[in-house]
Amino acid sequence: MSRLQKLVIGRVSLGILTLFVVSALMFVGIELLPGDLAQQILGQSATESTLAAFRAELGLDQPAHLRYLDWLGGVLRGDFGTSLASGREVSELLGPRLANTMFLATYAAVIAAPLAVILGLLAALWRNTLFDRGVNLTALSAISMPEFFVGYVLILFLSIKAGVFPTLARIDSATGLWDALYRSFLPALTLILVVVAHMMRMTRAAIINVLASPYIEMARLKGVPRWRIIVQHALPNALAPIINVVALNLAYLVVGVVVVEVVFSYPGLGQLLVDAVSSRDFPVVQAVGLFFAAVYITLNVLADIISIMSNPRLRHGR
Amino acid sequence: MKSLLKSAPPSAIFGMVVLAIVAFTGIFAPFVAPYGETQVVGDAYLPWSAAHPLGTDNLGRDMLSRMIFGARNTVGLALLTTAISFSVGSTLGMLAALKGGWLDEVLSRLVDVLMAVPPLILALMLLAIVGPSIPNMVGVIAVIYVAPVYRLSRAAAMNVVGLDFVEAAKLRGERTPWLLRREILPNIWSTLIAEFGVRFCFVFLFIAALSFLGIGIQPPTADWGSMVKENATLISFGDITPLIPAAAIALLTVAINLIVDWMLHRASGLKS
């Protein structure tokens, strides 16, 4: 087995292991909690019979490892249990919201990734000009702002004052594609503003890093125009770190969805998760948390693998 | 000290001024604020006036007073949380670097797993188990941010533990607490201080976000994150009042970032 294969298999198995730890986290946590979970949720005034019924519903009358294995078996069959708050199947609750969240995240990602790379290229091309400074300063302040601040500012200006976009991004299965794109534009824009800054700065740094190499100086001495040096000579060699940063930021974007969905009342998984945490609806928290963790871990592992593959020293190790 | 301040660029001075104002209002909140933190002073959503410079909130409490108490609560809790994760994280990190062996292995793998999960999701899952309350939130966030601090201080301490003076101290028969506090800590102190600023920003934004989502600082405690949430309806009438606490959060984060940037710049020996 080659070194590369070993590294990749190592990354993937670490990712899978982490997912198992996350999935077991809630079971272990509930076990470690002082006192009885049913008592804690229902309060001191609950009668003995309601407590017993609740324990049976949660499966608390069984030992933790059995409950975990039972739950894990269900997950493999696509059964995530039933919601404590609504009594509905968790998988049934998740389905449409999962689609909505993926729609919003993809929407933002499709615009943010190319935009960030182009802005980074331009900032590197016009290094130390007013444009570069302006973009950098905007990026730095965008990183420091909480998502909900960006979201509400956009609502105030683009929807209340200008009246161009709706305040709330309500979509359902009957909404057509163009309509859905229009209604979820503001949440998507919020996510874009939050992730573009970081991606752009890293793209700029990666390209400027390559620009210091001797072969770039050679090209410059030959009289190649500046934009061609960047696009043809620097970009291919900076591509690996850029793709890595894009993957990491997409991971961040998927998690950032949680706050943005709440701001815009977007019917996605993030809102479901927040509601479930407030009402302590464990099966739902478990399922949604696991989904977000899985996407995040997958994208991170992907970023790792790409950076391993793009590095010849790791690819052909001694 | 004077020459240090003189050498600071305008951006860092701006950061320090903002930080000083927030610290002052936070510490002297009861004397600065015109009304009490949870005192109902009039109707809900009163417009800006001389008596209530920022109007009143959804329950008729004075917005300005709540902003001032919010500075104390939000920033204070963020400081407390960061301090806890730093003392635990750096102690464990230095200990792992000093002792090595199974302790290092176990702690490092644990931290790997902790850092592979998105912090917000981890916090939400943990808060679902323990239930949302201020001590629980502080505990959960502190645990999550122990991981990056551990990693940094372990890496920094690794460079120090091999040096001769640590060896000499060991041969002298010094005990582990002495080695950590007197031999290793002074040498990684500057790295930790800069990291403290960065982590504080993360923790501060994190607490604000959780409170905004309604699972962080609980009412009636004033806090910048939940104040945005409570008064969000005003935005649909074109009123910017709910944006003020959010802007305060952004401003303070920018200010700290500017100071940290300057400190890192100085520490790296670059003079421009």
Side-chain angles (χ1 to χ4, degrees):
Chain A
M1 198 160 51
S2 77
R3 200 183 137 100
L4 178 68
Q5 278 171 322
K6 264 189 210 154
L7 275 170
V8 170
I9 290 174
R11 291 289 170 204
V12 173
S13 41
L14 191 66
I16 295 174
L17 184 72
T18 311
L19 266 185
F20 271 105
V21 174
V22 175
S23 72
L25 181 79
M26 293 213 58
F27 286 90
V28 178
I30 292 171
E31 207 54 31
L32 290 179
L33 204 65
D36 182 24
L37 182 73
Q39 185 89 56
Q40 258 218 2
I41 292 180
L42 295 178
Q44 293 297 328
S45 57
T47 62
E48 200 46 51
S49 59
T50 35
L51 280 179
F54 193 66
R55 280 192 200 109
E57 199 185 332
L58 276 177
L60 283 179
D61 39 5
Q62 283 169 21
H65 62 276
L66 280 185
R67 261 187 294 141
Y68 179 63
L69 288 179
D70 191 40
W71 177 83
L72 202 62
V75 169
L76 294 179
R77 279 179 277 111
D79 172 19
F80 287 87
T82 48
S83 157
L84 297 181
S86 66
R88 288 171 62 196
E89 289 276 319
V90 175
S91 48
E92 187 188 321
L93 217 57
L94 244 57
R97 282 170 175 268
L98 180 72
N100 286 347
T101 291
M102 291 316 276
F103 171 73
L104 182 59
T106 320
Y107 189 4
V110 165
I111 298 177
L115 185 69
V117 173
I118 291 172
L119 281 178
L121 274 178
L122 290 180
L125 182 62
W126 296 321
R127 185 147 49 118
N128 296 334
T129 61
L130 213 59
F131 172 81
D132 182 30
R133 291 209 186 142
V135 167
N136 253 321
L137 194 71
T138 322
L140 199 68
S141 27
I143 292 173
S144 312
M145 286 175 191
E147 288 102 338
F148 55 85
F149 179 60
V150 179
Y152 280 126
V153 168
L154 289 179
I155 290 186
L156 183 68
F157 286 107
L158 291 181
S159 116
I160 310 288
K161 301 256 179 193
V164 193
F165 294 100
T167 321
L168 301 179
R170 294 207 189 286
I171 62 169
D172 51 51
S173 53
T175 322
L177 177 64
W178 287 113
D179 213 19
L181 284 176
Y182 169 69
R183 285 191 206 176
S184 50
F185 181 72
L186 282 189
L189 185 61
T190 310
L191 285 171
I192 292 169
L193 287 177
V194 172
V195 293
V196 155
H198 188 231
M199 281 199 273
M200 179 239 116
R201 277 166 68 96
M202 298 305 278
T203 306
R204 177 180 176 275
I207 289 187
I208 287 179
N209 206 10
V210 175
L211 284 182
S213 338
Y215 73 87
I216 297 287
E217 199 180 352
M218 176 68 203
R220 199 176 296 144
L221 290 175
K222 268 193 327 196
V224 181
R226 248 184 104 63
W227 66 269
R228 269 193 60 184
I229 292 183
I230 290 197
V231 174
Q232 281 192 349
H233 297 256
L235 188 59
N237 282 303
L239 214 50
I242 293 176
I243 294 177
N244 190 28
V245 167
V246 169
L248 288 179
N249 273 281
L250 293 187
Y252 177 78
L253 189 144
V254 170
V255 178
V257 151
V258 174
V259 175
V260 173
E261 279 180 5
V262 173
V263 171
F264 290 93
S265 311
Y266 185 87
L269 283 181
Q271 223 186 25
L272 183 69
L273 177 60
V274 172
D275 290 345
V277 171
S278 326
S279 60
R280 304 182 84 183
D281 189 345
F282 293 104
V284 176
V285 175
Q286 176 88 297
V288 181
L290 199 60
F291 165 78
F292 276 119
V295 175
Y296 185 86
I297 291 169
T298 310
L299 284 168
N300 268 303
V301 169
L302 214 61
D304 265 3
I305 291 178
I306 290 169
S307 60
I308 292 173
M309 301 261 258
S310 66
N311 187 341
R313 259 168 295 188
L314 289 175
R315 212 163 52 212
H316 312 282
R318 272 160 291 163
Chain B
M1 191 65 198
K2 218 173 186 179
S3 66
L4 186 73
L5 278 179
K6 249 183 203 156
S7 74
S11 58
I13 293 184
F14 169 77
M16 285 187 270
V17 169
V18 172
L19 192 62
I21 294 174
V22 173
F24 178 82
T25 46
I27 294 168
F28 298 105
F31 307 102
V32 181
Y35 301 95
E37 182 179 359
T38 55
Q39 186 187 354
V40 176
V41 293
D43 286 339
Y45 299 133
L46 285 179
W48 296 12
S49 65
H52 307 290
L54 297 179
T56 57
D57 73 353
N58 60 331
L59 295 179
R61 295 167 297 193
D62 183 52
M63 268 303 258
L64 179 66
S65 306
R66 282 183 73 74
M67 279 294 296
I68 292 168
F69 278 100
R72 163 183 269 195
N73 297 332
T74 318
V75 179
L77 283 175
L79 261 181
L80 174 71
T81 312
T82 321
I84 296 176
S85 54
F86 257 78
S87 36
V88 176
S90 59
T91 310
L92 289 178
M94 290 189 294
L95 204 62
L98 187 67
K99 295 280 172 192
W102 64 268
L103 180 78
D104 183 21
E105 197 62 29
V106 170
L107 283 175
S108 296
R109 291 296 83 75
L110 213 65
V111 163
D112 280 349
V113 171
L114 212 56
M115 286 190 73
V117 189
L120 183 63
I121 303 304
L122 190 58
L124 287 175
M125 291 176 82
L126 291 176
L127 280 173
I129 300 173
V130 294
S133 74
I134 291 179
N136 285 349
M137 178 195 70
V138 169
V140 164
I141 300 179
V143 166
I144 292 174
Y145 279 100
V146 157
V149 177
Y150 167 86
R151 225 181 234 185
L152 179 84
S153 49
R154 178 180 172 276
M158 273 295 187
N159 294 326
V160 180
V161 287
L163 298 179
D164 289 343
F165 61 85
V166 180
E167 212 58 42
K170 274 188 200 162
L171 290 176
R172 238 174 24 233
E174 303 292 1
R175 293 180 190 282
T176 309
W178 171 285
L179 288 175
L180 295 186
R181 217 173 49 238
R182 305 299 287 269
E183 308 291 339
I184 301 178
L185 188 59
N187 288 293
I188 65 170
W189 193 236
S190 59
T191 319
L192 287 181
I193 291 284
E195 179 73 3
F196 190 90
V198 178
R199 284 300 149 203
F200 173 79
C201 285
F202 279 112
V203 169
F204 177 62
L205 285 176
F206 204 98
I207 290 182
L210 280 183
S211 307
F212 171 76
L213 294 176
I215 31 202
I217 300 172
Q218 298 293 315
T221 310
D223 133 82
W224 291 351
S226 48
M227 281 173 74
V228 179
K229 177 79 169 177
E230 286 162 6
N231 303 299
T233 26
L234 273 184
I235 293 182
S236 33
F237 302 107
D239 189 338
I240 62 156
T241 312
L243 288 180
I244 293 174
I249 295 167
L251 185 67
L252 183 61
T253 323
V254 173
I256 295 173
N257 273 328
L258 290 175
I259 301 175
V260 170
D261 262 6
W262 170 58
M263 278 169 54
L264 285 177
H265 197 72
R266 272 174 42 85
S268 67
L270 292 167
K271 301 273 189 286
S272 64

